[in-house]
């Protein structure tokens, strides 16, 4: 079984290690951009509300100006949430790499089955003993 472990380790190192570092790097950049955008949006929304309130105080009493400002902010939030809902509603197309990964896993499973078959052929008594013990344990825990 040692060659199987070497093949599995090499496959994991070749396929997953380079992609993971790129994904992590892109993920960190994307997360920092999102955090910066959200922070600046809150600041801009605060100053927009303050300017709107200051303008409204000139024409109506302060409680009505505050009410109009809050209503405007809620209306903007409603538009943003509706747009976000429709953007998230559309389903992205699955990547074609899933087929390649499934093929690689099935090839490894076939190789593991061949290795296990060779072990069973060379040690039939040990295989029978292990299968019996596993069967007894499974029977005891599945009752």
């Amino acid at each position: 079984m040692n060659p199987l472990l070497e093949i599995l380790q090499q496959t994991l190192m070749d396929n997953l290690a380079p992609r993971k570092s790129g994904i992590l790097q892109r993920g960190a950049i994307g997360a920092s951009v999102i955090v910066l955008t959200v922070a600046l949006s809150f600041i801009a929304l605060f100053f927009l509300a303050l300017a709107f309130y200051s303008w409204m105080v000139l024409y109506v009493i302060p409680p009505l100006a505050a009410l109009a400002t809050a209503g405007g902010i809620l209306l903007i939030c409603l538009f943003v949430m509706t747009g976000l809902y429709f953007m998230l509603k559309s389903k992205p197309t699955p990547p074609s790499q899933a087929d390649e990964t499934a093929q690689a896993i099935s090839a490894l499973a076939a190789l593991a089955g061949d290795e296990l078959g060779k072990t069973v052929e060379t040690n039939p008594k040990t295989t029978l003993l292990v299968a019996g013990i596993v069967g007894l344990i499974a029977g005891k825990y599945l009752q």
Side-chain angles (χ1 to χ4, degrees), residues 130-141:
V130 170
I133 292 172
V134 169
L136 284 173
I137 293 172
K140 186 172 185 172
Y141 284 110

Side-chain angles (χ1 to χ4, degrees), residues 44-68:
L45 191 59
F46 172 74
F47 281 111
L48 179 67
L50 185 63
F52 184 71
Y53 176 77
S54 299
W55 178 73
M56 287 292 291
V57 166
L58 297 175
Y59 299 103
V60 294
I61 59 175
L64 288 179
L67 183 64

